[in-house]
Amino acid sequence: EARRRKDDGREKVLARMAATTPVKGEGEYLDVEAEELDDLLSALSRTPEVHIRSRGEAAGAGPRGFATPKTEGRGVRPSSSSSSVVDLTSTFVKDLFQAESFDGSHDWHHILRVRKNVVDIARHEGLTERQALVVEVIALLHDVADTKYAGHEDRQAQLDKFIDDKVKGGLLMEKEKELIHFVIRNMSFKDESKGSCEGYELPLELKVVQDADRLDAIGAVGIARCFMFGGSRNSTIIDWRPMNNDGDAKDCNETGILYKTCVGHFYEKLLKLKGMMKTERGKALAEERHTVMVNFLEQIEKECDVRA
């Protein structure tokens, strides 16, 4: 009699599974009462992949906010070892940066600082465990194919293959691959200035990585990186537009400092970043760093002003 009741219970569970209507690109969800759990777990080995959702969990939401896609044409379900993809990505990027000729403004240490910022912001902004993993991967990869540096086409191909392999290996989902590429393509200051994402609701992952990267462009480290990059391109520390030049002033700030110089770059870009932060944590961290830059500029302009 006990076996018959158990079989009947299993059949009810299987019937409910069969009646579940999947959403394209997402997993199937099934509400489960506590007393049905044993029957459901027994049936899982012979049924399509489902997510077990408690009564109190919002319908349509996957584990920690992710809906796991079906494996058909979407890449396999991520493996349970969440740290492995981050470790593999870290090794891939570190080896690549050591082999390539990046200057000190965009080196492995920059990647580590952005990664640290991402982890901090993700924790404060309430990202899910899976979202936090993805933004850490993006932080590690974001400068691999930077077009400012020679060989970026080859590195882009390596990046594409690396991500594809992680999808095939079950460490990333197809939709996460698409998100990684989207964030990297659209997170730069230049992209935002051109309105690349205008009219779109930006994914939280882009906001987090973008703020993390921008934090490393301001403050004391931002000052150091600015002059490091300028030195690699033989830029002048500071220069002013000639006083007798009545032409277009778009190449300088209101006091005549040329944007093409290191100091000019602060006015062209770096001083604007505080107002472009998108997360509350990013905004808070940017305040102190912005003040550091303002104070530095006041001093260096005073010391460097050799105009008559």
Coordinates of all heavy atoms in Angstrom, one line a residue, residues 22-100:
P22 N 7.3 25.7 -20.9 CA 8.5 26.4 -20.8 C 8.5 27.8 -21.5 O 7.8 28.0 -22.5 CB 9.5 25.5 -21.5 CG 8.6 24.8 -22.5 CD 7.3 24.6 -21.9
V23 N 9.3 28.7 -21.0 CA 9.5 30.0 -21.7 C 10.7 29.9 -22.6 O 11.8 29.4 -22.1 CB 9.7 31.1 -20.7 CG1 9.9 32.4 -21.4 CG2 8.5 31.2 -19.8
K24 N 10.7 30.3 -23.8 CA 11.8 30.1 -24.7 C 13.0 30.8 -24.1 O 13.0 31.9 -23.8 CB 11.5 30.7 -26.1 CG 12.6 30.5 -27.1 CD 12.2 31.0 -28.4 CE 13.3 30.7 -29.5 NZ 12.9 31.3 -30.8
G25 N 14.1 30.0 -24.1 CA 15.4 30.5 -23.6 C 15.5 30.5 -22.1 O 16.5 30.9 -21.5
E26 N 14.5 30.0 -21.4 CA 14.6 29.9 -19.9 C 14.3 28.4 -19.5 O 13.9 27.6 -20.3 CB 13.6 30.8 -19.3 CG 13.8 32.3 -19.6 CD 12.9 33.2 -18.8 OE1 11.9 32.6 -18.2 OE2 13.0 34.4 -18.9
G27 N 14.5 28.2 -18.2 CA 14.3 26.8 -17.7 C 12.8 26.7 -17.4 O 12.0 27.6 -17.6
E28 N 12.4 25.5 -17.0 CA 11.1 25.2 -16.6 C 11.0 25.3 -15.0 O 11.9 24.8 -14.3 CB 10.6 23.8 -17.1 CG 10.7 23.7 -18.6 CD 10.3 22.3 -19.0 OE1 9.8 21.5 -18.2 OE2 10.6 22.0 -20.2
Y29 N 9.9 25.8 -14.5 CA 9.7 26.0 -13.1 C 8.5 25.2 -12.6 O 7.5 25.1 -13.3 CB 9.6 27.5 -12.8 CG 10.8 28.3 -13.1 CD1 11.0 28.8 -14.3 CD2 11.8 28.4 -12.1 CE1 12.1 29.5 -14.6 CE2 13.0 29.1 -12.4 CZ 13.1 29.6 -13.6 OH 14.3 30.3 -13.9
L30 N 8.6 24.8 -11.4 CA 7.5 24.0 -10.8 C 7.4 24.3 -9.3 O 8.4 24.2 -8.6 CB 7.9 22.5 -11.0 CG 6.9 21.4 -10.5 CD1 5.6 21.6 -11.4 CD2 7.5 20.0 -10.6
D31 N 6.2 24.7 -8.9 CA 5.9 24.9 -7.5 C 5.9 23.5 -6.8 O 5.3 22.6 -7.3 CB 4.6 25.6 -7.3 CG 4.7 27.0 -7.7 OD1 5.7 27.7 -7.5 OD2 3.7 27.5 -8.4
V32 N 6.5 23.4 -5.6 CA 6.6 22.1 -5.0 C 6.2 22.3 -3.5 O 6.7 23.1 -2.8 CB 8.0 21.6 -5.0 CG1 8.1 20.2 -4.4 CG2 8.5 21.4 -6.5
E33 N 5.3 21.4 -3.1 CA 4.9 21.4 -1.7 C 6.0 20.5 -1.0 O 6.6 19.6 -1.6 CB 3.5 20.7 -1.5 CG 2.4 21.5 -2.1 CD 2.1 22.8 -1.3 OE1 2.8 23.1 -0.4 OE2 1.1 23.5 -1.7
A34 N 6.2 20.7 0.3 CA 7.2 20.0 1.0 C 7.0 18.5 1.0 O 8.0 17.7 0.8 CB 7.2 20.4 2.5
E35 N 5.7 18.0 1.1 CA 5.5 16.6 1.1 C 5.7 15.9 -0.3 O 5.8 14.7 -0.4 CB 4.1 16.3 1.6 CG 3.0 16.9 0.7 CD 2.6 18.3 1.3 OE1 3.4 18.9 2.0 OE2 1.5 18.8 0.9
E36 N 5.8 16.7 -1.3 CA 6.0 16.2 -2.6 C 7.5 16.1 -3.0 O 7.9 15.6 -4.0 CB 5.4 17.1 -3.7 CG 3.8 17.1 -3.6 CD 3.3 18.1 -4.6 OE1 3.7 19.2 -4.6 OE2 2.5 17.6 -5.5
L37 N 8.4 16.6 -2.1 CA 9.8 16.8 -2.5 C 10.5 15.5 -2.8 O 11.2 15.3 -3.8 CB 10.5 17.5 -1.4 CG 12.0 17.9 -1.7 CD1 12.0 18.8 -2.9 CD2 12.6 18.7 -0.5
D38 N 10.2 14.4 -1.9 CA 10.9 13.2 -2.2 C 10.5 12.6 -3.5 O 11.3 12.0 -4.2 CB 10.5 12.2 -1.0 CG 11.1 12.5 0.3 OD1 12.1 13.3 0.3 OD2 10.6 12.1 1.3
D39 N 9.2 12.7 -3.8 CA 8.8 12.1 -5.1 C 9.4 12.9 -6.3 O 9.8 12.3 -7.3 CB 7.2 12.2 -5.2 CG 6.6 11.3 -4.3 OD1 7.1 10.2 -4.0 OD2 5.5 11.7 -3.7
L40 N 9.5 14.2 -6.1 CA 10.1 15.0 -7.2 C 11.6 14.7 -7.4 O 12.0 14.5 -8.5 CB 9.9 16.5 -6.8 CG 10.6 17.5 -7.8 CD1 10.1 17.3 -9.2 CD2 10.4 18.9 -7.3
L41 N 12.3 14.6 -6.3 CA 13.7 14.3 -6.4 C 13.9 12.9 -7.0 O 14.9 12.7 -7.8 CB 14.4 14.4 -5.0 CG 14.4 15.8 -4.4 CD1 15.0 15.7 -3.0 CD2 15.2 16.7 -5.3
S42 N 13.1 12.0 -6.7 CA 13.2 10.6 -7.3 C 12.9 10.7 -8.8 O 13.5 9.9 -9.6 CB 12.2 9.7 -6.7 OG 12.4 9.5 -5.3
A43 N 12.1 11.6 -9.2 CA 11.7 11.7 -10.6 C 12.7 12.5 -11.5 O 12.7 12.4 -12.7 CB 10.3 12.3 -10.8
L44 N 13.5 13.3 -10.8 CA 14.4 14.2 -11.6 C 15.3 13.5 -12.5 O 15.6 14.0 -13.6 CB 15.2 15.1 -10.6 CG 14.5 16.2 -9.9 CD1 15.4 16.9 -8.9 CD2 13.9 17.2 -11.0
S45 N 15.8 12.3 -12.2 CA 16.8 11.6 -13.0 C 16.2 11.2 -14.3 O 17.0 10.9 -15.3 CB 17.3 10.4 -12.3 OG 16.2 9.5 -12.0
R46 N 14.9 11.2 -14.5 CA 14.3 10.7 -15.7 C 13.4 11.8 -16.4 O 12.6 11.5 -17.3 CB 13.5 9.4 -15.5 CG 12.4 9.6 -14.6 CD 11.6 8.3 -14.4 NE 12.4 7.3 -13.7 CZ 12.4 7.2 -12.4 NH1 11.6 7.9 -11.7 NH2 13.1 6.3 -11.8
T47 N 13.5 13.0 -15.9 CA 12.7 14.1 -16.5 C 13.5 15.2 -17.0 O 14.7 15.4 -16.7 CB 11.7 14.6 -15.4 OG1 12.5 15.1 -14.3 CG2 10.8 13.5 -14.9
P48 N 12.9 16.2 -17.8 CA 13.6 17.3 -18.3 C 14.1 18.2 -17.1 O 13.5 18.1 -16.1 CB 12.6 18.1 -19.1 CG 11.6 17.0 -19.5 CD 11.5 16.1 -18.4
E49 N 15.1 19.0 -17.3 CA 15.6 19.8 -16.3 C 14.6 20.8 -15.8 O 13.9 21.5 -16.6 CB 16.8 20.6 -16.8 CG 17.5 21.5 -15.7 CD 18.6 22.3 -16.3 OE1 18.4 23.2 -17.1 OE2 19.8 21.9 -16.0
V50 N 14.4 20.8 -14.5 CA 13.5 21.8 -13.9 C 14.2 22.5 -12.7 O 15.2 22.0 -12.2 CB 12.2 21.1 -13.3 CG1 11.4 20.5 -14.5 CG2 12.5 20.1 -12.2
H51 N 13.7 23.6 -12.3 CA 14.1 24.3 -11.2 C 13.0 24.2 -10.1 O 11.8 24.3 -10.4 CB 14.3 25.8 -11.4 CG 15.4 26.1 -12.4 ND1 16.7 25.6 -12.2 CD2 15.4 26.8 -13.5 CE1 17.4 26.0 -13.2 NE2 16.7 26.8 -14.0
I52 N 13.4 23.9 -8.9 CA 12.5 23.7 -7.8 C 12.3 25.1 -7.2 O 13.3 25.7 -6.7 CB 13.0 22.7 -6.7 CG1 13.3 21.4 -7.4 CG2 12.0 22.6 -5.6 CD1 13.9 20.4 -6.5
R53 N 11.1 25.6 -7.1 CA 10.8 27.0 -6.6 C 9.9 26.9 -5.4 O 8.9 26.2 -5.5 CB 10.2 27.8 -7.7 CG 10.1 29.3 -7.3 CD 9.4 30.1 -8.4 NE 8.0 29.7 -8.5 CZ 7.3 29.5 -9.6 NH1 7.9 29.7 -10.8 NH2 6.0 29.2 -9.6
S54 N 10.3 27.5 -4.4 CA 9.4 27.6 -3.2 C 8.2 28.4 -3.5 O 8.1 29.2 -4.4 CB 10.1 28.1 -2.0 OG 10.4 29.5 -2.2
R55 N 7.1 28.2 -2.7 CA 5.9 29.0 -2.9 C 6.1 30.5 -2.7 O 5.5 31.3 -3.4 CB 4.9 28.6 -1.8 CG 4.3 27.2 -2.0 CD 3.5 27.1 -3.2 NE 2.8 25.8 -3.3 CZ 2.1 25.3 -4.3 NH1 2.0 26.1 -5.4 NH2 1.5 24.2 -4.3
G56 N 7.1 30.9 -1.9 CA 7.3 32.3 -1.7 C 8.2 33.0 -2.7 O 8.3 34.2 -2.7
E57 N 8.8 32.2 -3.7 CA 9.7 32.8 -4.6 C 8.9 33.3 -5.8 O 7.9 32.7 -6.3 CB 10.7 31.8 -5.1 CG 11.8 32.3 -6.0 CD 12.8 31.3 -6.3 OE1 12.9 30.3 -5.6 OE2 13.5 31.4 -7.3
A58 N 9.2 34.4 -6.3 CA 8.5 35.0 -7.4 C 8.5 34.2 -8.7 O 9.5 33.6 -9.0 CB 9.1 36.4 -7.8
A59 N 7.3 34.0 -9.3 CA 7.2 33.2 -10.5 C 8.0 33.8 -11.6 O 8.1 35.0 -11.8 CB 5.7 33.2 -10.9
G60 N 8.7 32.9 -12.3 CA 9.5 33.4 -13.5 C 10.9 33.7 -13.1 O 11.7 34.0 -14.0
A61 N 11.3 33.7 -11.8 CA 12.6 34.0 -11.4 C 13.4 32.8 -11.2 O 12.9 31.9 -10.5 CB 12.6 34.9 -10.2
G62 N 14.6 32.7 -11.8 CA 15.4 31.5 -11.6 C 16.2 31.6 -10.3 O 16.1 32.5 -9.5
P63 N 17.0 30.6 -10.0 CA 17.9 30.6 -8.8 C 18.7 31.9 -8.8 O 19.4 32.1 -9.8 CB 18.7 29.3 -9.0 CG 17.9 28.5 -9.9 CD 17.2 29.4 -10.8
R64 N 18.6 32.6 -7.7 CA 19.4 33.9 -7.6 C 19.2 34.8 -8.8 O 20.1 35.5 -9.2 CB 20.9 33.6 -7.4 CG 21.2 32.8 -6.1 CD 22.7 32.7 -5.9 NE 23.0 32.2 -4.6 CZ 23.2 30.9 -4.4 NH1 23.1 30.0 -5.4 NH2 23.4 30.4 -3.2
G65 N 18.0 34.8 -9.4 CA 17.7 35.7 -10.4 C 18.1 35.2 -11.8 O 17.8 35.9 -12.8
F66 N 18.6 34.0 -12.0 CA 19.0 33.5 -13.3 C 18.1 32.4 -13.7 O 17.8 31.5 -12.9 CB 20.4 33.0 -13.3 CG 21.4 34.1 -13.5 CD1 21.8 34.9 -12.5 CD2 22.0 34.3 -14.7 CE1 22.7 35.9 -12.6 CE2 22.9 35.3 -14.9 CZ 23.3 36.1 -13.9
A67 N 17.6 32.5 -14.9 CA 16.8 31.4 -15.4 C 17.7 30.5 -16.3 O 18.3 31.0 -17.3 CB 15.7 31.9 -16.3
T68 N 18.0 29.3 -15.9 CA 18.9 28.4 -16.6 C 18.3 28.0 -17.9 O 17.2 27.4 -17.9 CB 19.2 27.2 -15.8 OG1 19.7 27.6 -14.5 CG2 20.3 26.3 -16.5
P69 N 19.0 28.2 -19.0 CA 18.4 27.9 -20.3 C 18.5 26.4 -20.6 O 19.3 25.7 -20.0 CB 19.3 28.6 -21.3 CG 20.6 28.7 -20.6 CD 20.3 28.8 -19.1
K70 N 17.6 25.9 -21.5 CA 17.7 24.6 -22.0 C 19.0 24.4 -22.7 O 19.6 25.3 -23.2 CB 16.5 24.3 -22.9 CG 15.2 24.1 -22.3 CD 14.2 23.8 -23.3 CE 12.8 23.5 -22.7 NZ 12.8 22.2 -22.1
T71 N 19.5 23.2 -22.7 CA 20.8 23.0 -23.3 C 20.8 23.1 -24.8 O 21.8 23.3 -25.5 CB 21.4 21.6 -22.9 OG1 20.5 20.6 -23.3 CG2 21.6 21.6 -21.4
E72 N 19.7 22.9 -25.5 CA 19.6 22.8 -26.9 C 19.9 24.2 -27.5 O 19.1 25.1 -27.4 CB 18.2 22.4 -27.4 CG 17.8 21.0 -26.9 CD 16.4 20.6 -27.3 OE1 15.7 21.4 -27.9 OE2 16.0 19.5 -27.0
G73 N 21.0 24.3 -28.2 CA 21.4 25.5 -28.8 C 21.8 26.7 -27.9 O 21.9 27.8 -28.3
R74 N 21.8 26.4 -26.6 CA 22.0 27.5 -25.7 C 23.3 27.4 -24.8 O 23.6 28.2 -24.0 CB 20.8 27.7 -24.7 CG 19.5 28.0 -25.4 CD 19.5 29.4 -25.9 NE 19.6 30.4 -24.8 CZ 19.6 31.7 -24.9 NH1 19.7 32.2 -26.1 NH2 19.6 32.4 -23.8
G75 N 24.0 26.3 -25.0 CA 25.2 26.0 -24.1 C 24.7 25.3 -22.9 O 23.5 25.3 -22.5
V76 N 25.6 24.5 -22.3 CA 25.2 23.6 -21.2 C 25.0 24.4 -20.0 O 25.5 25.6 -19.9 CB 26.2 22.5 -21.0 CG1 26.2 21.6 -22.3 CG2 27.5 23.0 -20.7
R77 N 24.4 23.8 -19.0 CA 24.2 24.5 -17.7 C 25.6 24.7 -17.0 O 26.4 23.8 -17.1 CB 23.3 23.6 -16.8 CG 23.0 24.3 -15.5 CD 22.1 23.4 -14.7 NE 21.7 24.0 -13.4 CZ 20.9 23.5 -12.5 NH1 20.3 22.3 -12.8 NH2 20.6 24.1 -11.4
P78 N 25.8 25.9 -16.4 CA 27.1 26.1 -15.8 C 27.4 25.1 -14.7 O 26.5 24.6 -14.0 CB 26.9 27.5 -15.1 CG 25.8 28.1 -15.8 CD 24.9 27.0 -16.3
S79 N 28.7 24.8 -14.6 CA 29.1 23.8 -13.6 C 28.9 24.4 -12.2 O 28.8 25.6 -12.0 CB 30.6 23.4 -13.8 OG 31.4 24.5 -13.4
S80 N 28.9 23.5 -11.2 CA 28.7 23.9 -9.8 C 29.9 24.6 -9.2 O 29.8 25.3 -8.2 CB 28.4 22.7 -8.9 OG 29.4 21.8 -9.0
S81 N 31.1 24.5 -9.9 CA 32.3 25.2 -9.4 C 32.3 26.6 -9.9 O 32.9 26.9 -11.0 CB 33.5 24.4 -9.9 OG 34.7 25.0 -9.4
S82 N 31.8 27.5 -9.1 CA 31.6 28.9 -9.6 C 33.0 29.6 -9.7 O 33.1 30.6 -10.4 CB 30.7 29.7 -8.7 OG 31.2 29.7 -7.4
S83 N 33.9 29.2 -8.9 CA 35.2 29.9 -8.9 C 36.1 29.5 -10.0 O 37.0 30.2 -10.4 CB 35.9 29.7 -7.6 OG 36.2 28.3 -7.4
S84 N 35.9 28.3 -10.6 CA 36.8 27.8 -11.7 C 36.8 28.7 -12.9 O 37.9 29.0 -13.4 CB 36.4 26.4 -12.1 OG 35.1 26.4 -12.6
V85 N 35.7 29.3 -13.3 CA 35.7 30.2 -14.5 C 36.5 31.5 -14.2 O 37.2 32.0 -15.0 CB 34.3 30.5 -15.0 CG1 33.5 31.3 -14.0 CG2 34.4 31.2 -16.3
V86 N 36.4 32.0 -13.0 CA 37.1 33.2 -12.6 C 38.6 32.9 -12.6 O 39.5 33.6 -13.1 CB 36.7 33.7 -11.2 CG1 37.6 34.8 -10.8 CG2 35.2 34.1 -11.3
D87 N 39.0 31.7 -12.0 CA 40.4 31.3 -11.9 C 41.0 31.2 -13.3 O 42.1 31.6 -13.6 CB 40.6 30.0 -11.1 CG 40.3 30.2 -9.7 OD1 40.3 31.4 -9.2 OD2 39.9 29.2 -9.0
L88 N 40.3 30.5 -14.2 CA 40.7 30.3 -15.6 C 40.8 31.6 -16.3 O 41.8 31.8 -17.1 CB 39.8 29.4 -16.3 CG 39.8 27.9 -15.9 CD1 38.6 27.2 -16.5 CD2 41.1 27.2 -16.3
T89 N 39.9 32.5 -16.1 CA 39.9 33.8 -16.8 C 41.1 34.6 -16.3 O 41.8 35.3 -17.0 CB 38.6 34.6 -16.5 OG1 37.5 33.8 -16.9 CG2 38.6 35.9 -17.2
S90 N 41.4 34.6 -15.0 CA 42.5 35.3 -14.4 C 43.8 34.8 -15.0 O 44.7 35.6 -15.4 CB 42.5 35.1 -12.9 OG 43.6 35.7 -12.3
T91 N 44.0 33.5 -15.1 CA 45.2 33.0 -15.7 C 45.4 33.4 -17.2 O 46.5 33.8 -17.6 CB 45.2 31.4 -15.6 OG1 45.2 31.1 -14.2 CG2 46.5 30.8 -16.2
F92 N 44.3 33.3 -17.9 CA 44.3 33.7 -19.3 C 44.7 35.1 -19.5 O 45.6 35.4 -20.3 CB 42.9 33.4 -19.9 CG 42.6 34.1 -21.3 CD1 43.2 33.6 -22.4 CD2 41.8 35.2 -21.4 CE1 43.0 34.2 -23.6 CE2 41.6 35.8 -22.6 CZ 42.2 35.3 -23.7
V93 N 44.1 36.0 -18.7 CA 44.4 37.4 -18.9 C 45.8 37.8 -18.4 O 46.5 38.5 -19.1 CB 43.4 38.3 -18.2 CG1 43.7 39.8 -18.2 CG2 42.0 38.0 -18.7
K94 N 46.2 37.2 -17.3 CA 47.6 37.5 -16.8 C 48.6 37.1 -17.7 O 49.6 37.8 -18.0 CB 47.7 36.8 -15.4 CG 49.1 37.1 -14.8 CD 49.2 36.4 -13.4 CE 50.5 36.8 -12.7 NZ 50.6 36.2 -11.4
D95 N 48.5 35.9 -18.3 CA 49.5 35.4 -19.3 C 49.5 36.3 -20.5 O 50.6 36.6 -21.0 CB 49.2 34.0 -19.7 CG 49.4 33.0 -18.6 OD1 50.0 33.3 -17.6 OD2 48.9 31.8 -18.7
L96 N 48.4 36.7 -20.9 CA 48.3 37.6 -22.1 C 48.9 38.9 -21.9 O 49.7 39.4 -22.7 CB 46.8 37.7 -22.6 CG 46.5 38.3 -23.9 CD1 45.2 37.8 -24.5 CD2 46.4 39.9 -23.8
F97 N 48.6 39.5 -20.7 CA 49.2 40.9 -20.4 C 50.7 40.8 -20.2 O 51.4 41.8 -20.6 CB 48.5 41.4 -19.2 CG 47.3 42.3 -19.5 CD1 46.1 41.7 -20.0 CD2 47.3 43.7 -19.4 CE1 45.0 42.4 -20.4 CE2 46.2 44.4 -19.7 CZ 45.0 43.8 -20.2
Q98 N 51.2 39.7 -19.7 CA 52.6 39.6 -19.6 C 53.3 39.4 -20.9 O 54.5 39.8 -21.0 CB 52.9 38.5 -18.6 CG 52.5 38.8 -17.2 CD 52.8 37.6 -16.2 OE1 53.0 36.4 -16.7 NE2 53.0 37.9 -14.9
A99 N 52.6 38.9 -21.8 CA 53.3 38.6 -23.1 C 53.1 39.8 -24.1 O 53.9 39.9 -25.0 CB 52.6 37.4 -23.8
E100 N 52.2 40.6 -23.9 CA 51.9 41.8 -24.8 C 52.6 43.0 -24.3 O 53.0 43.1 -23.1 CB 50.4 42.0 -24.9 CG 49.7 40.8 -25.6 CD 49.9 40.7 -27.1 OE1 50.4 41.7 -27.6 OE2 49.6 39.7 -27.6

